[in-house]
Amino acid sequence: SRNLKTWLEQHQIQADIRWVAPFPIQDEQGSRFYLTDSRAKDQPTNSFLARLNPDGTLHLLTNNFTFGWRGQFHPSAPLYLFTEDGVRNGGYSDAIVLRNLETGIDRMVVPKSNNRFSWPAFHQDQIIYTRNKLLLKTDLHGSNTIQLFPPKPN
């Protein structure tokens, strides 16, 4: 606890240590753990994001991270996938955004269509998502989109 408080101070992170907590992400090697202000995962607020290394040290990825709606981390690449945050504002959230964790740049890979909600997920180096009762797949650039279900008639 004291080591964590020192680490936060060294990195000039303003966080209440009572709410700082790890969370797991599955990848090819098993689980990786990240650390953030646990309240930020459910709110559209900024927090820090750090990775817990196997030797127990922390690596600060960013001190300005915002979790997205239905967000998930890529299991092997520095990418974060989420839907546009319209649902918290009483709207729709069907646009799908991909964030590069190294640059902090967000890029919309599936534009908003006002067709209710999207449920995106990484599948290897592609994105699978639902929209308007369809199951679709696209690459990480949002091109080459194909409909998986229901199957299109021949």
Side-chain angles (χ1 to χ4, degrees):
S1 167
R2 190 165 54 174
N3 289 344
L4 178 58
K5 185 175 180 180
T6 300
W7 185 87
L8 292 169
E9 289 170 355
Q10 287 173 344
H11 290 87
Q12 301 176 343
I13 296 171
Q14 302 290 321
D16 185 336
I17 197 166
R18 297 175 299 169
W19 295 102
V20 174
F23 62 95
I25 296 174
Q26 287 295 120
D27 64 14
E28 293 87 19
Q29 288 83 34
S31 292
R32 288 182 291 161
F33 289 88
Y34 289 80
L35 197 71
T36 194
D37 181 327
S38 59
R39 297 172 297 177
K41 289 183 75 181
D42 298 322
Q43 302 172 26
T45 60
N46 292 358
S47 181
F48 71 97
L49 181 65
R51 183 180 58 238
L52 181 60
N53 295 321
D55 64 2
T57 60
L58 288 171
H59 172 71
L60 181 65
L61 298 172
T62 180
N63 60 4
N64 190 26
F65 186 81
T66 303
F67 286 88
W69 184 256
R70 297 187 181 109
Q72 69 170 233
F73 293 87
H74 192 282
S76 61
L79 300 172
Y80 181 69
L81 180 69
F82 60 99
T83 58
E84 192 176 57
D85 195 22
V87 75
R88 288 187 183 136
N89 301 320
Y92 298 109
S93 63
D94 68 340
I96 298 174
V97 180
L98 188 64
R99 178 178 299 149
N100 182 315
L101 294 175
E102 292 176 340
T103 64
I105 295 173
D106 289 352
R107 183 172 44 84
M108 189 173 301
V109 292
V110 178
K112 186 174 184 170
S113 71
N114 292 324
N115 279 330
R116 305 292 293 166
F117 306 108
S118 292
W119 292 83
F122 284 114
H123 176 70
Q124 298 167 347
D125 285 333
Q126 297 181 324
I127 299 168
I128 294 179
Y129 63 100
T130 60
R131 176 181 270 178
N132 202 26
K133 300 181 183 178
L134 301 175
L135 181 61
L136 303 155
K137 178 173 70 171
T138 191
D139 61 23
L140 296 178
H141 301 286
S143 55
N144 302 316
T145 300
I146 61 169
Q147 182 176 316
L148 300 173
F149 185 84
K152 287 186 173 183
N154 292 337

